[in-house]
């Protein structure tokens, strides 16, 4: 089965809207039909691209995505082959589910895509690796009879894997006792707010950046904190303005997203990071560091997290693995001093006793075997390419009507439209599934009366990015 498959395809006859999806679905269907048997070697990307008259990068992307799905396998110096162990997806392939629809449904899919403000592409999840890791975890908990309640701080294996990752890749020197596993970063934010609400009774203020992450703001409000906004500029949180706030208010904590600020994507400069830590020590407040997508930094090495720097005793560091794989993977972590961690453990016991032991063991295995690091490295390359393509597409279509500073990392763009904001834009953007209904929402207006949106590119193919940007142009400039 080593001979190359001479692909005789007529992609123009397929109903999908993009070349990428036409080719991906065609290969899957040929595998399911038996024409492409397990172990068969496919043509090289250059040869296939020439025969089909399409871009070689499109073929490479299809091969990479189908390999991530488990349909194909790449062997060094040999080529790309149909996998010997096919995923049990049948016609529920995410590609087929997304494209085997009527035109109006596909249009809805594109509109839904614009709603994301920086989420991973779940079509690229290595399902076979996940399946294997979950099987191993289930066998382990069954054989070792550990299906009962475990440690509310998280299983030891996952905390050890997190400890190794934080030490080797984030320069965070900590211990197992200072790490608490949570169900996503939002739970970490909630627990931090709840603990501070009980321990900082004389301090009823939390400072957030003038544009900030809406669910976090709502969480602080729900715990009866007063919210005060600190100014934000191209270097991140304005520490000079923060000093004025601290001199006039009893601040319990400052909530910040320093790596890729939400929503503007700017990175906080090192001098401001050090100044923020100094102020924390001087004015005795906590810093809630939401490090939600640290893995995706493209143009240089990421700046070390606040908690890895000197004088970080009062930093509550919150991270998540959801951005690596999918939002539905509810695995996050908190690193903080023992008083905070112990208080969080008590609240976890009140909420649900513990997390999901099977999921935690499965993720721990993937981390220990280096699979998460390999997947992240692959996604980093793909998302960087999509970032560059999205910036280029906005500039080509909107020309001088748009302004974008290419972010150093992350999964979204901060797009400034050089258009005077009009009330009817709110309804237009709502129809495109961009929410503009609340103060901290996805549409932001600046002092020039121009407006911004946060545009997530990571979950979109190049064809999808082009289609959505064209939709925006038609909605904003051709009506």
């Amino acid at each position: 089965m080593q001979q190359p498959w001479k692909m005789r395809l007529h992609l123009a006859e397929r109903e999908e809207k993009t070349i990428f999806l036409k080719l991906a679905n065609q290969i899957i269907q040929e595998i399911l039909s038996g024409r492409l048997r397990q172990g068969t070697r496919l043509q090289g990307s250059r040869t296939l691209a020439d025969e089909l008259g399409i871009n070689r990068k499109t073929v490479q992307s299809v091969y990479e995505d189908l390999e991530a799905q488990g349909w194909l396998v790449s062997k060094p110096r040999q080529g790309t082959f149909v996998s010997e162990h096919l995923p049990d997806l049948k016609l529920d392939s995410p590609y087929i589910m997304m494209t085997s629809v009527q035109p109006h449904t596909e249009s809805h899919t594109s509109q839904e895509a614009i709603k994301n403000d920086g989420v991973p592409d779940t079509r690229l999840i290595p399902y076979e690796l996940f399946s294997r890791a979950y099987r191993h975890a289930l066998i382990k908990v069954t054989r070792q009879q550990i299906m009962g309640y475990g440690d509310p701080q998280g299983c030891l294996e996952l905390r050890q894997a997190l400890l190794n990752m934080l030490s080797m890749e984030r320069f965070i020197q900590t211990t197992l006792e200072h790490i608490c596993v949570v169900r996503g970063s939002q739970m970490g934010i909630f627990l931090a707010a709840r603990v501070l609400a009980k321990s900082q009774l004389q301090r009823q203020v939390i400072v957030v950046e003038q544009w900030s992450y809406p669910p976090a703001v709502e969480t602080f409000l729900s715990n009866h904190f007063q919210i005060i906004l600190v100014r934000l500029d191209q270097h991140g949180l304005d520490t000079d303005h923060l000093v004025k706030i601290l001199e006039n208010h009893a601040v319990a904590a400052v909530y910040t997203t320093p790596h890729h600020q939400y929503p503007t994507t700017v990175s906080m400069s090192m001098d401001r990071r050090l100044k923020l830590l100094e102020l924390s020590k001087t004015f005795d407040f906590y810093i809630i560091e939401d490090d939600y997508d640290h893995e995706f930094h493209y143009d240089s090495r990421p700046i070390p997290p606040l908690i890895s720097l000197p004088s970080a005793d009062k930093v509550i560091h919150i991270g998540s693995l959801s951005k690596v794989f999918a939002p539905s993977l509810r695995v996050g972590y908190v690193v903080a001093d023992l008083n905070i961690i112990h208080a969080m453990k008590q609240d976890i016991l009140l909420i649900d006793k513990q997390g999901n032991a099977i999921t935690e063991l499965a993720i721990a295995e993937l981390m220990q075997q280096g699979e998460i690091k390999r997947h992240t490295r692959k996604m980093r390359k793909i998302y960087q390419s999509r970032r560059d393509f999205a910036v280029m597409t906005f500039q080509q279509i909107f020309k001088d009507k748009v302004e974008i500073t290419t972010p150093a990392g992350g999964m979204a763009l901060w797009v400034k439209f050089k258009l005077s904001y009009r009330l009817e834009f709110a309804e237009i953007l709502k129809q495109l599934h961009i929410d503009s209904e609340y103060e901290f929402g996805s549409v932001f207006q600046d002092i020039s009366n121009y407006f911004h949106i946060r545009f997530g590119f990571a979950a979109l193919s190049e064809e999808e990015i082009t289609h959505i940007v064209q939709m925006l142009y038609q909605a904003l400039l051709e009506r």
Side-chain angles (χ1 to χ4, degrees), residues 170-172 237-240 242-243 246 252-256 258 268-290 303-317 335-337:
R170 311 274 177 94
F171 312 104
I172 298 175
L237 184 151
D238 186 338
T239 48
D240 290 337
L242 178 61
V243 170
L246 294 169
V254 171
Y255 170 79
T256 181
M268 187 187 298
S269 61
M270 178 57 78
D271 62 327
R272 290 199 180 177
R273 291 175 187 239
L274 295 175
K275 180 65 173 179
L276 177 59
L277 290 167
E278 177 188 325
L279 292 174
S280 172
K281 190 173 182 178
T282 301
F283 288 90
D284 194 30
F285 63 85
Y286 279 92
I287 300 170
I288 303 174
E289 179 181 27
D290 187 352
I303 300 176
L306 290 167
I307 198 171
S308 70
L309 300 174
S311 302
D313 297 342
K314 305 206 75 171
V315 175
I316 301 173
H317 179 86
V335 184
D337 67 51

Side-chain angles (χ1 to χ4, degrees), residues 227-412:
I227 299 297
I228 294 181
L229 307 182
V230 62
R231 285 197 293 265
L232 186 69
D233 61 24
Q234 68 271 24
H235 302 294
L237 184 151
D238 186 338
T239 48
D240 290 337
H241 185 215
L242 178 61
V243 170
K244 296 178 181 179
I245 295 173
L246 294 169
E247 290 173 345
N248 292 282
H249 299 275
V251 173
V254 171
Y255 170 79
T256 181
T257 48
H259 192 52
H260 301 127
Q261 199 278 334
Y262 188 102
T264 67
T265 75
V266 301
S267 294
M268 187 187 298
S269 61
M270 178 57 78
D271 62 327
R272 290 199 180 177
R273 291 175 187 239
L274 295 175
K275 180 65 173 179
L276 177 59
L277 290 167
E278 177 188 325
L279 292 174
S280 172
K281 190 173 182 178
T282 301
F283 288 90
D284 194 30
F285 63 85
Y286 279 92
I287 300 170
I288 303 174
E289 179 181 27
D290 187 352
D291 200 21
Y292 63 94
D293 64 355
H294 189 96
E295 294 80 6
F296 299 111
H297 205 81
Y298 312 124
D299 298 333
S300 61
R301 290 186 63 84
I303 300 176
L306 290 167
I307 198 171
S308 70
L309 300 174
S311 302
D313 297 342
K314 305 206 75 171
V315 175
I316 301 173
H317 179 86
I318 300 172
S320 172
L321 296 177
S322 299
K323 295 294 185 182
V324 177
F325 291 108
S328 60
L329 181 69
R330 307 310 300 156
V331 177
Y333 52 89
V334 177
V335 184
D337 67 51
L338 290 180
N339 290 332
I340 295 292
I341 296 297
H342 289 161
M344 286 186 174
K345 284 176 62 176
Q346 295 304 311
D347 282 338
I348 290 172
L349 287 171
L350 296 176
I351 298 170
D352 67 350
K353 295 286 187 182
Q354 66 173 68
N356 187 319
I358 295 174
T359 295
E360 291 180 14
L361 286 171
I363 297 300
E365 176 180 310
L366 292 174
M367 294 184 74
Q368 292 162 355
Q369 293 179 349
E371 297 293 353
I372 287 183
K373 186 174 183 178
R374 280 189 285 273
H375 179 72
T376 301
R377 188 162 53 240
K378 175 183 176 182
M379 292 300 99
R380 189 182 296 125
K381 182 178 179 182
I382 292 173
Y383 293 161
Q384 180 175 1
S385 176
R386 292 179 177 181
R387 176 203 65 174
D388 296 342
F389 183 83
V391 172
M392 178 188 69
T393 303
F394 267 105
Q395 291 172 342
Q396 286 180 343
I397 293 177
F398 279 88
K399 297 186 175 16
D400 61 348
K401 296 298 183 182
V402 74
E403 181 179 306
I404 304 173
T405 299
T406 303
M411 307 169 83

Side-chain angles (χ1 to χ4, degrees), residues 75 102 145 178 241 259 364 388-389 442 445:
K75 299 180 181 180
Q102 298 300 316
Q145 298 182 345
H178 289 78
H241 185 215
H259 192 52
D388 296 342
F389 183 83
S442 300
Q445 196 172 350

Side-chain angles (χ1 to χ4, degrees), residues 55-71:
N55 192 302
R56 183 189 179 194
K57 289 181 64 177
T58 301
V59 178
Q60 290 174 325
S61 296
V62 169
Y63 279 8
E64 289 176 359
D65 287 357
L66 294 185
E67 182 180 353
Q69 294 288 343
W71 295 103

Side-chain angles (χ1 to χ4, degrees), residues 91-128:
L91 291 178
D92 288 334
S93 160
Y95 297 111
I96 296 173
M97 287 174 63
M98 187 171 62
T99 59
S100 298
V101 292
Q102 298 300 316
H104 71 275
T105 307
E106 179 144 346
S107 174
H108 177 72
T109 300
S110 297
Q111 290 177 358
E112 284 296 323
I114 201 172
K115 189 176 181 180
N116 94 74
D117 61 356
V119 298
D121 193 337
T122 58
R123 296 169 293 188
L124 306 183
I125 294 174
Y127 290 103
E128 182 60 30

